[in-house]
Amino acid sequence: MPSKKKTPREVFTPNRTVSADMFIDRKEVSMQGKVNVQKLLKNAIEDVGGQVVIYGDSGVGKSSLLEHVAEKCDVAALRLECRSGQTFKEFLEENIANIAETERTVTTEGVAKTKIVVEAGGAHKRERKYTVPLPSLLRTMLEALEKHDAQLLVLDNFQKMTDPKSRKMAFDFMEMLANLTSETDNKKIVIVGIAEDAQSLFGGDISLPRRTKQVGVPRMPLEEIREILYTGFGLLELTVDKQIIEEVVFYADGFPFFAHGLGLNIALEAKENKVTVIGPSSPFLSNALSIAMIDAEQPLKRSVELAVKGFGNNIVGHKRWREFIDILANSEWSDWTSHDVIGAYTKTHGPLKDSRVVYKVLNLLATDDRFGEVLQREKAEHQLYRYRFSNPYFRTLLRINARK
């Protein structure tokens, strides 16, 4: 019997982890460099005693990568979502309490023992005894993992847990689990969060445990974004012109989130119009880009509008202001100096009569809310500032705005 044809929403999933047939192997190195990011995560999961921290920009595929690698390692994960303003204690109590039946006894030496009774296949029950004293919340967490036959407790969106005491408590739990490897069958906490490095997820005052494995997930290379699109459209039996594919790759800017979002809306348009071939003159991409801009968070969208408008007539002239914005939008830089912008401008538009205008434009984009505050800056070598987008999605939205 032929398999049922998939729907666009089953194939392109911008707001949830990807299906197995849409997962693209991550061939790029991690943010730490040198080691392949997928292999690094696999080693971290299989490492005995090591806890795991996964970090990177929003929308780069951290959760999908973890789900896929855990499955390849034949390891089950219990994934829980952190909420803004929630303490770690509240998080555990809300998500884990009362999901495993327990019996607790105290020995004559006063050492607490826990016998965890977990239903496992009908009337059969499995018992595990922890012969070390454990804090009640940690004990409950281990019970939950046993109940779900899971080895990994995944705390997703950990950046939302902003309370320093809560971060410290999560850190302490990771240390305790690392010390209880033989008692817990190598159960792990996996912290997943939006950050530039693992340390910032816990705050600057906490040094990560020595046995914590850090996995920085970078943006996807263009060829992997391209593979997402060809795979997804292939599953939907859609033939999409190469030019459309390449434009989506450009606008996605290394974010599988945007590749899935744009792919989904193109596929929905094709389904609605009952077409299976999407040519270069199709309006479907333009419509998908408009939806992406509409769906963007309002503060982000407003910043892009201010940056593009630029009040340019009062500063460097509207045309030239827009030329600088377009250079930033079309670049592949993760960060840059004024010298980089001057070089790119000269290559595209010819030499500048006064290069100081570049310093002024970059300064306004970084410090003046009239211009969107789209950039962040920090002092680099030779007294130059290094700039980067204050939100990693800015470049994609600037590119979309330019097309409009």
Side-chain angles (χ1 to χ4, degrees):
M1 184 177 178
S3 58
K4 182 182 175 183
K5 182 179 176 181
K6 290 181 176 291
T7 67
R9 295 190 189 281
E10 290 173 327
V11 171
F12 291 111
T13 54
N15 296 313
R16 64 178 191 273
T17 54
V18 302
S19 60
D21 50 7
M22 277 296 288
F23 180 80
I24 305 301
D25 282 324
R26 304 295 291 262
K27 305 175 183 69
E28 67 275 21
V29 298
S30 70
M31 290 172 69
Q32 299 100 305
K34 297 183 180 180
V35 182
N36 169 268
V37 65
Q38 193 164 317
K39 182 178 181 180
L40 185 65
L41 180 56
K42 179 178 183 293
N43 291 342
I45 289 174
E46 293 179 340
D47 180 62
V48 177
Q51 307 301 297
V52 186
V53 178
I54 304 172
Y55 63 91
D57 283 336
S58 173
V60 295
K62 298 183 295 295
S63 297
S64 291
L65 176 62
L66 172 60
E67 186 175 288
H68 173 80
V69 172
E71 185 175 342
K72 289 291 184 182
C73 294
D74 197 25
V75 169
L78 177 59
R79 178 178 172 273
L80 303 174
E81 190 87 9
C82 299
R83 291 191 292 105
S84 297
Q86 194 175 37
T87 67
F88 187 67
K89 184 173 183 291
E90 291 168 344
F91 168 82
L92 288 180
E93 288 175 342
E94 177 181 312
N95 286 286
I96 298 178
N98 302 320
I99 65 173
E101 296 178 4
T102 64
E103 299 173 14
R104 295 183 177 87
T105 59
V106 179
T107 67
T108 53
E109 293 81 19
V111 178
K113 292 184 179 180
T114 300
K115 181 170 71 173
I116 299 175
V117 183
V118 183
E119 298 292 340
H124 300 288
K125 292 188 177 183
R126 180 181 58 209
E127 294 183 2
R128 184 174 307 285
K129 295 182 179 180
Y130 298 98
T131 57
V132 296
L134 301 177
S136 60
L137 281 174
L138 178 58
R139 201 159 51 222
T140 306
M141 184 189 77
L142 291 169
E143 294 163 13
L145 290 171
E146 289 288 342
K147 176 90 174 182
H148 289 266
D149 287 326
Q151 184 175 329
L152 308 178
L153 178 66
V154 180
L155 277 58
D156 211 348
N157 282 316
F158 188 75
Q159 76 282 350
K160 293 182 178 179
M161 198 167 289
T162 56
D163 173 47
K165 290 182 179 179
S166 295
R167 291 180 171 185
K168 178 65 166 58
M169 194 175 199
F171 166 89
D172 290 341
F173 270 44
M174 293 176 77
E175 282 205 307
M176 282 188 280
L177 275 182
N179 292 327
L180 291 172
T181 299
S182 59
E183 296 277 348
T184 65
D185 278 354
N186 199 29
K187 287 183 169 50
K188 301 175 184 288
I189 290 178
V190 181
I191 300 287
V192 183
I194 300 169
E196 294 181 6
D197 54 67
Q199 185 66 56
S200 60
L201 279 174
F202 291 88
D205 297 335
I206 299 175
S207 296
L208 292 177
R210 179 175 54 85
R211 285 172 290 185
T212 299
K213 305 299 180 181
Q214 304 176 31
V215 181
V217 182
R219 299 186 194 187
M220 271 189 169
L222 301 186
E223 58 268 22
E224 291 179 15
I225 295 291
R226 194 175 291 115
E227 193 176 347
I228 288 174
L229 298 168
Y230 278 118
T231 300
F233 290 134
L235 289 170
L236 295 170
E237 300 176 10
L238 291 174
T239 301
V240 182
D241 185 84
K242 182 180 178 181
Q243 180 181 326
I244 298 287
I245 295 287
E246 291 307 309
E247 287 195 66
V248 175
V249 170
F250 171 73
Y251 289 114
D253 194 27
F255 290 102
F257 167 77
F258 279 114
H260 275 264
L262 294 173
L264 172 62
N265 286 306
I266 290 171
L268 289 172
E269 289 267 0
K271 181 180 180 181
E272 183 179 342
N273 289 274
K274 299 180 180 178
V275 300
T276 58
V277 178
I278 302 174
S281 60
S282 168
F284 296 169
L285 175 58
S286 292
N287 295 342
L289 292 171
S290 296
I291 293 170
M293 186 62 85
I294 290 169
D295 288 345
E297 295 179 358
Q298 187 59 39
L300 181 59
K301 193 161 41 176
R302 178 62 176 159
S303 290
V304 169
E305 291 169 354
L306 290 172
V308 171
K309 183 178 178 182
F311 302 93
N313 292 327
N314 298 325
I315 300 170
V316 298
H318 181 72
K319 181 181 177 182
R320 179 163 289 180
W321 178 275
R322 187 56 194 251
E323 288 170 349
F324 286 125
I325 292 294
D326 287 346
I327 284 173
L328 299 182
N330 293 322
S331 76
E332 299 296 335
W333 304 320
S334 58
D335 55 36
W336 60 89
T337 67
S338 54
H339 289 181
D340 295 323
V341 177
I342 292 169
Y345 187 94
T346 300
K347 185 176 180 179
T348 306
H349 303 287
L352 279 163
K353 292 181 180 179
D354 185 355
S355 60
R356 288 177 299 180
V357 69
V358 174
Y359 312 140
K360 189 169 188 178
V361 169
L362 292 175
N363 180 61
L364 289 170
L365 287 171
T367 62
D368 195 323
D369 59 8
R370 293 179 301 156
F371 304 91
E373 291 186 314
V374 301
L375 302 181
Q376 293 176 336
R377 67 180 188 179
E378 59 185 26
K379 274 285 179 63
E381 56 189 18
H382 308 304
Q383 296 301 304
L384 288 175
Y385 282 110
R386 293 204 71 84
Y387 296 87
R388 66 173 60 205
F389 287 109
S390 56
N391 185 304
Y393 290 169
F394 264 129
R395 183 156 53 199
T396 288
L397 296 183
L398 285 173
R399 289 175 174 181
I400 294 173
N401 188 284
R403 179 182 173 112
K404 288 171 60 183

PDB file of all heavy atoms in Angstrom, residues 9 15 28 63 76 84 89 119 125 131 135 141 190 203-204 214 218 241 250 252 255 270 326 336 339 352:
ATOM      1  N   ARG A   9       2.560  21.191   6.383  1.00  0.00           N
ATOM      2  CA  ARG A   9       2.815  21.414   7.817  1.00  0.00           C
ATOM      3  C   ARG A   9       3.484  20.216   8.482  1.00  0.00           C
ATOM      4  O   ARG A   9       4.057  20.349   9.560  1.00  0.00           O
ATOM      5  CB  ARG A   9       1.509  21.768   8.538  1.00  0.00           C
ATOM      6  CG  ARG A   9       0.908  23.085   8.071  1.00  0.00           C
ATOM      7  CD  ARG A   9      -0.247  23.532   8.953  1.00  0.00           C
ATOM      8  NE  ARG A   9      -0.929  24.677   8.376  1.00  0.00           N
ATOM      9  CZ  ARG A   9      -0.498  25.934   8.444  1.00  0.00           C
ATOM     10  NH1 ARG A   9       0.618  26.194   9.093  1.00  0.00           N
ATOM     11  NH2 ARG A   9      -1.197  26.902   7.885  1.00  0.00           N
ATOM     12  N   ASN A  15       8.212  25.800  13.922  1.00  0.00           N
ATOM     13  CA  ASN A  15       7.953  26.026  15.345  1.00  0.00           C
ATOM     14  C   ASN A  15       8.034  24.769  16.197  1.00  0.00           C
ATOM     15  O   ASN A  15       7.595  24.760  17.343  1.00  0.00           O
ATOM     16  CB  ASN A  15       6.573  26.678  15.513  1.00  0.00           C
ATOM     17  CG  ASN A  15       6.519  28.051  14.875  1.00  0.00           C
ATOM     18  OD1 ASN A  15       7.412  28.870  15.071  1.00  0.00           O
ATOM     19  ND2 ASN A  15       5.489  28.311  14.075  1.00  0.00           N
ATOM     20  N   GLU A  28      29.054  20.843   9.804  1.00  0.00           N
ATOM     21  CA  GLU A  28      29.928  21.958  10.146  1.00  0.00           C
ATOM     22  C   GLU A  28      30.551  21.769  11.529  1.00  0.00           C
ATOM     23  O   GLU A  28      30.063  20.965  12.338  1.00  0.00           O
ATOM     24  CB  GLU A  28      29.159  23.287  10.107  1.00  0.00           C
ATOM     25  CG  GLU A  28      28.095  23.445  11.182  1.00  0.00           C
ATOM     26  CD  GLU A  28      26.761  22.841  10.817  1.00  0.00           C
ATOM     27  OE1 GLU A  28      26.702  21.959   9.943  1.00  0.00           O
ATOM     28  OE2 GLU A  28      25.741  23.232  11.419  1.00  0.00           O
ATOM     29  N   SER A  63      17.494  22.139  19.333  1.00  0.00           N
ATOM     30  CA  SER A  63      16.624  21.074  19.849  1.00  0.00           C
ATOM     31  C   SER A  63      16.487  19.926  18.857  1.00  0.00           C
ATOM     32  O   SER A  63      16.464  18.758  19.250  1.00  0.00           O
ATOM     33  CB  SER A  63      15.244  21.657  20.188  1.00  0.00           C
ATOM     34  OG  SER A  63      15.337  22.616  21.225  1.00  0.00           O
ATOM     35  N   ALA A  76      16.738   7.869  25.391  1.00  0.00           N
ATOM     36  CA  ALA A  76      15.485   8.617  25.491  1.00  0.00           C
ATOM     37  C   ALA A  76      15.709   9.898  26.291  1.00  0.00           C
ATOM     38  O   ALA A  76      16.519   9.940  27.216  1.00  0.00           O
ATOM     39  CB  ALA A  76      14.411   7.769  26.154  1.00  0.00           C
ATOM     40  N   SER A  84       9.554  31.994  31.521  1.00  0.00           N
ATOM     41  CA  SER A  84      10.077  33.262  32.043  1.00  0.00           C
ATOM     42  C   SER A  84       9.607  33.479  33.476  1.00  0.00           C
ATOM     43  O   SER A  84       8.431  33.259  33.798  1.00  0.00           O
ATOM     44  CB  SER A  84       9.601  34.428  31.169  1.00  0.00           C
ATOM     45  OG  SER A  84      10.111  34.309  29.867  1.00  0.00           O
ATOM     46  N   LYS A  89      13.400  25.609  41.310  1.00  0.00           N
ATOM     47  CA  LYS A  89      12.604  24.780  42.219  1.00  0.00           C
ATOM     48  C   LYS A  89      11.164  24.679  41.715  1.00  0.00           C
ATOM     49  O   LYS A  89      10.574  23.601  41.677  1.00  0.00           O
ATOM     50  CB  LYS A  89      12.642  25.378  43.624  1.00  0.00           C
ATOM     51  CG  LYS A  89      11.927  24.561  44.693  1.00  0.00           C
ATOM     52  CD  LYS A  89      12.192  25.169  46.065  1.00  0.00           C
ATOM     53  CE  LYS A  89      11.556  24.332  47.169  1.00  0.00           C
ATOM     54  NZ  LYS A  89      10.077  24.399  47.147  1.00  0.00           N
ATOM     55  N   GLU A 119       6.187   1.418  36.743  1.00  0.00           N
ATOM     56  CA  GLU A 119       5.470   0.476  35.905  1.00  0.00           C
ATOM     57  C   GLU A 119       6.297   0.220  34.650  1.00  0.00           C
ATOM     58  O   GLU A 119       6.743   1.134  33.990  1.00  0.00           O
ATOM     59  CB  GLU A 119       4.103   1.049  35.508  1.00  0.00           C
ATOM     60  CG  GLU A 119       3.183   1.307  36.698  1.00  0.00           C
ATOM     61  CD  GLU A 119       2.738   0.021  37.362  1.00  0.00           C
ATOM     62  OE1 GLU A 119       2.818  -1.032  36.708  1.00  0.00           O
ATOM     63  OE2 GLU A 119       2.321   0.064  38.529  1.00  0.00           O
ATOM     64  N   LYS A 125       7.199  -4.814  37.416  1.00  0.00           N
ATOM     65  CA  LYS A 125       7.756  -3.588  37.992  1.00  0.00           C
ATOM     66  C   LYS A 125       9.266  -3.716  38.091  1.00  0.00           C
ATOM     67  O   LYS A 125       9.813  -4.808  38.239  1.00  0.00           O
ATOM     68  CB  LYS A 125       7.168  -3.318  39.380  1.00  0.00           C
ATOM     69  CG  LYS A 125       5.692  -2.951  39.337  1.00  0.00           C
ATOM     70  CD  LYS A 125       5.201  -2.500  40.701  1.00  0.00           C
ATOM     71  CE  LYS A 125       3.751  -2.058  40.650  1.00  0.00           C
ATOM     72  NZ  LYS A 125       3.273  -1.554  41.934  1.00  0.00           N
ATOM     73  N   THR A 131      21.635   4.391  47.124  1.00  0.00           N
ATOM     74  CA  THR A 131      22.110   4.187  48.493  1.00  0.00           C
ATOM     75  C   THR A 131      22.855   5.395  49.019  1.00  0.00           C
ATOM     76  O   THR A 131      23.642   5.293  49.941  1.00  0.00           O
ATOM     77  CB  THR A 131      23.030   2.962  48.546  1.00  0.00           C
ATOM     78  OG1 THR A 131      24.103   3.157  47.625  1.00  0.00           O
ATOM     79  CG2 THR A 131      22.273   1.703  48.189  1.00  0.00           C
ATOM     80  N   PRO A 135      18.927  15.127  47.819  1.00  0.00           N
ATOM     81  CA  PRO A 135      17.890  16.136  48.031  1.00  0.00           C
ATOM     82  C   PRO A 135      16.582  15.661  47.408  1.00  0.00           C
ATOM     83  O   PRO A 135      16.581  14.981  46.377  1.00  0.00           O
ATOM     84  CB  PRO A 135      18.441  17.367  47.290  1.00  0.00           C
ATOM     85  CG  PRO A 135      19.907  17.119  47.145  1.00  0.00           C
ATOM     86  CD  PRO A 135      20.073  15.639  47.063  1.00  0.00           C
ATOM     87  N   MET A 141      13.407  14.049  40.503  1.00  0.00           N
ATOM     88  CA  MET A 141      13.832  14.149  39.113  1.00  0.00           C
ATOM     89  C   MET A 141      14.295  12.787  38.595  1.00  0.00           C
ATOM     90  O   MET A 141      13.959  12.386  37.475  1.00  0.00           O
ATOM     91  CB  MET A 141      14.954  15.162  38.983  1.00  0.00           C
ATOM     92  CG  MET A 141      15.405  15.427  37.558  1.00  0.00           C
ATOM     93  SD  MET A 141      16.890  16.437  37.525  1.00  0.00           S
ATOM     94  CE  MET A 141      18.117  15.210  37.969  1.00  0.00           C
ATOM     95  N   VAL A 190      20.662  18.027  30.448  1.00  0.00           N
ATOM     96  CA  VAL A 190      21.107  18.723  29.234  1.00  0.00           C
ATOM     97  C   VAL A 190      20.464  20.113  29.243  1.00  0.00           C
ATOM     98  O   VAL A 190      19.246  20.234  29.172  1.00  0.00           O
ATOM     99  CB  VAL A 190      20.717  17.971  27.953  1.00  0.00           C
ATOM    100  CG1 VAL A 190      21.214  18.724  26.721  1.00  0.00           C
ATOM    101  CG2 VAL A 190      21.264  16.556  27.969  1.00  0.00           C
ATOM    102  N   GLY A 203      25.444  32.724  34.083  1.00  0.00           N
ATOM    103  CA  GLY A 203      25.903  33.954  34.712  1.00  0.00           C
ATOM    104  C   GLY A 203      27.405  33.928  34.892  1.00  0.00           C
ATOM    105  O   GLY A 203      28.029  32.867  34.996  1.00  0.00           O
ATOM    106  N   GLY A 204      27.980  35.110  34.959  1.00  0.00           N
ATOM    107  CA  GLY A 204      29.438  35.214  34.987  1.00  0.00           C
ATOM    108  C   GLY A 204      30.089  34.743  36.266  1.00  0.00           C
ATOM    109  O   GLY A 204      31.295  34.509  36.296  1.00  0.00           O
ATOM    110  N   GLN A 214      30.435  21.188  26.602  1.00  0.00           N
ATOM    111  CA  GLN A 214      29.818  22.346  25.961  1.00  0.00           C
ATOM    112  C   GLN A 214      29.736  22.122  24.463  1.00  0.00           C
ATOM    113  O   GLN A 214      30.717  21.757  23.823  1.00  0.00           O
ATOM    114  CB  GLN A 214      30.627  23.602  26.260  1.00  0.00           C
ATOM    115  CG  GLN A 214      30.820  23.870  27.748  1.00  0.00           C
ATOM    116  CD  GLN A 214      31.698  25.068  28.003  1.00  0.00           C
ATOM    117  OE1 GLN A 214      31.724  26.018  27.226  1.00  0.00           O
ATOM    118  NE2 GLN A 214      32.437  25.037  29.108  1.00  0.00           N
ATOM    119  N   PRO A 218      26.327  26.333  15.618  1.00  0.00           N
ATOM    120  CA  PRO A 218      26.394  27.533  14.780  1.00  0.00           C
ATOM    121  C   PRO A 218      25.215  27.595  13.808  1.00  0.00           C
ATOM    122  O   PRO A 218      24.384  26.681  13.756  1.00  0.00           O
ATOM    123  CB  PRO A 218      27.705  27.332  14.016  1.00  0.00           C
ATOM    124  CG  PRO A 218      27.786  25.839  13.847  1.00  0.00           C
ATOM    125  CD  PRO A 218      27.165  25.242  15.092  1.00  0.00           C
ATOM    126  N   ASP A 241      11.883  25.950  -8.925  1.00  0.00           N
ATOM    127  CA  ASP A 241      12.982  26.478  -9.727  1.00  0.00           C
ATOM    128  C   ASP A 241      14.197  26.789  -8.852  1.00  0.00           C
ATOM    129  O   ASP A 241      14.073  27.255  -7.716  1.00  0.00           O
ATOM    130  CB  ASP A 241      12.533  27.753 -10.446  1.00  0.00           C
ATOM    131  CG  ASP A 241      13.584  28.278 -11.398  1.00  0.00           C
ATOM    132  OD1 ASP A 241      13.649  27.796 -12.535  1.00  0.00           O
ATOM    133  OD2 ASP A 241      14.353  29.174 -10.984  1.00  0.00           O
ATOM    134  N   PHE A 250      19.342  32.522   0.533  1.00  0.00           N
ATOM    135  CA  PHE A 250      19.868  33.852   0.858  1.00  0.00           C
ATOM    136  C   PHE A 250      19.103  34.482   2.015  1.00  0.00           C
ATOM    137  O   PHE A 250      19.702  34.974   2.979  1.00  0.00           O
ATOM    138  CB  PHE A 250      19.779  34.746  -0.384  1.00  0.00           C
ATOM    139  CG  PHE A 250      20.094  36.197  -0.126  1.00  0.00           C
ATOM    140  CD1 PHE A 250      21.396  36.614   0.119  1.00  0.00           C
ATOM    141  CD2 PHE A 250      19.083  37.153  -0.133  1.00  0.00           C
ATOM    142  CE1 PHE A 250      21.686  37.960   0.348  1.00  0.00           C
ATOM    143  CE2 PHE A 250      19.365  38.493   0.098  1.00  0.00           C
ATOM    144  CZ  PHE A 250      20.664  38.903   0.343  1.00  0.00           C
ATOM    145  N   ALA A 252      17.228  33.015   4.288  1.00  0.00           N
ATOM    146  CA  ALA A 252      17.300  32.226   5.527  1.00  0.00           C
ATOM    147  C   ALA A 252      18.546  32.564   6.339  1.00  0.00           C
ATOM    148  O   ALA A 252      18.533  32.454   7.568  1.00  0.00           O
ATOM    149  CB  ALA A 252      17.273  30.734   5.207  1.00  0.00           C
ATOM    150  N   PHE A 255      19.716  30.165   9.059  1.00  0.00           N
ATOM    151  CA  PHE A 255      18.759  29.757  10.088  1.00  0.00           C
ATOM    152  C   PHE A 255      17.778  28.732   9.522  1.00  0.00           C
ATOM    153  O   PHE A 255      16.947  29.067   8.678  1.00  0.00           O
ATOM    154  CB  PHE A 255      17.972  30.957  10.612  1.00  0.00           C
ATOM    155  CG  PHE A 255      18.774  31.917  11.433  1.00  0.00           C
ATOM    156  CD1 PHE A 255      19.219  33.113  10.893  1.00  0.00           C
ATOM    157  CD2 PHE A 255      19.094  31.622  12.750  1.00  0.00           C
ATOM    158  CE1 PHE A 255      19.958  33.997  11.646  1.00  0.00           C
ATOM    159  CE2 PHE A 255      19.843  32.501  13.513  1.00  0.00           C
ATOM    160  CZ  PHE A 255      20.278  33.689  12.957  1.00  0.00           C
ATOM    161  N   ALA A 270       1.375  26.761  -3.006  1.00  0.00           N
ATOM    162  CA  ALA A 270       1.295  25.793  -4.104  1.00  0.00           C
ATOM    163  C   ALA A 270       0.094  24.867  -3.941  1.00  0.00           C
ATOM    164  O   ALA A 270      -0.619  24.568  -4.906  1.00  0.00           O
ATOM    165  CB  ALA A 270       2.587  24.982  -4.171  1.00  0.00           C
ATOM    166  N   ASP A 326      22.260  48.362   3.071  1.00  0.00           N
ATOM    167  CA  ASP A 326      22.295  47.220   2.151  1.00  0.00           C
ATOM    168  C   ASP A 326      23.607  46.446   2.263  1.00  0.00           C
ATOM    169  O   ASP A 326      23.627  45.219   2.128  1.00  0.00           O
ATOM    170  CB  ASP A 326      22.078  47.690   0.716  1.00  0.00           C
ATOM    171  CG  ASP A 326      20.630  48.094   0.443  1.00  0.00           C
ATOM    172  OD1 ASP A 326      19.771  47.753   1.278  1.00  0.00           O
ATOM    173  OD2 ASP A 326      20.379  48.745  -0.577  1.00  0.00           O
ATOM    174  N   TRP A 336      32.039  42.829  12.483  1.00  0.00           N
ATOM    175  CA  TRP A 336      32.826  43.604  11.529  1.00  0.00           C
ATOM    176  C   TRP A 336      33.301  44.904  12.155  1.00  0.00           C
ATOM    177  O   TRP A 336      32.814  45.316  13.216  1.00  0.00           O
ATOM    178  CB  TRP A 336      32.003  43.914  10.269  1.00  0.00           C
ATOM    179  CG  TRP A 336      30.755  44.706  10.557  1.00  0.00           C
ATOM    180  CD1 TRP A 336      30.632  46.072  10.596  1.00  0.00           C
ATOM    181  CD2 TRP A 336      29.465  44.190  10.903  1.00  0.00           C
ATOM    182  NE1 TRP A 336      29.347  46.442  10.936  1.00  0.00           N
ATOM    183  CE2 TRP A 336      28.613  45.303  11.129  1.00  0.00           C
ATOM    184  CE3 TRP A 336      28.933  42.909  11.047  1.00  0.00           C
ATOM    185  CZ2 TRP A 336      27.274  45.159  11.473  1.00  0.00           C
ATOM    186  CZ3 TRP A 336      27.598  42.773  11.398  1.00  0.00           C
ATOM    187  CH2 TRP A 336      26.791  43.886  11.607  1.00  0.00           C
ATOM    188  N   HIS A 339      36.395  49.476   9.094  1.00  0.00           N
ATOM    189  CA  HIS A 339      37.258  49.233   7.939  1.00  0.00           C
ATOM    190  C   HIS A 339      36.657  48.199   6.990  1.00  0.00           C
ATOM    191  O   HIS A 339      36.789  48.317   5.771  1.00  0.00           O
ATOM    192  CB  HIS A 339      38.639  48.764   8.408  1.00  0.00           C
ATOM    193  CG  HIS A 339      39.428  49.866   9.057  1.00  0.00           C
ATOM    194  ND1 HIS A 339      40.711  49.682   9.532  1.00  0.00           N
ATOM    195  CD2 HIS A 339      39.130  51.173   9.314  1.00  0.00           C
ATOM    196  CE1 HIS A 339      41.161  50.824  10.045  1.00  0.00           C
ATOM    197  NE2 HIS A 339      40.208  51.725   9.930  1.00  0.00           N
ATOM    198  N   LEU A 352      35.039  56.360  -0.988  1.00  0.00           N
ATOM    199  CA  LEU A 352      34.346  57.409  -0.234  1.00  0.00           C
ATOM    200  C   LEU A 352      35.226  58.658  -0.154  1.00  0.00           C
ATOM    201  O   LEU A 352      36.432  58.556   0.071  1.00  0.00           O
ATOM    202  CB  LEU A 352      34.064  56.917   1.189  1.00  0.00           C
ATOM    203  CG  LEU A 352      32.846  56.006   1.390  1.00  0.00           C
ATOM    204  CD1 LEU A 352      32.971  55.284   2.733  1.00  0.00           C
ATOM    205  CD2 LEU A 352      31.556  56.808   1.335  1.00  0.00           C
TER     206      LEU A 352
END
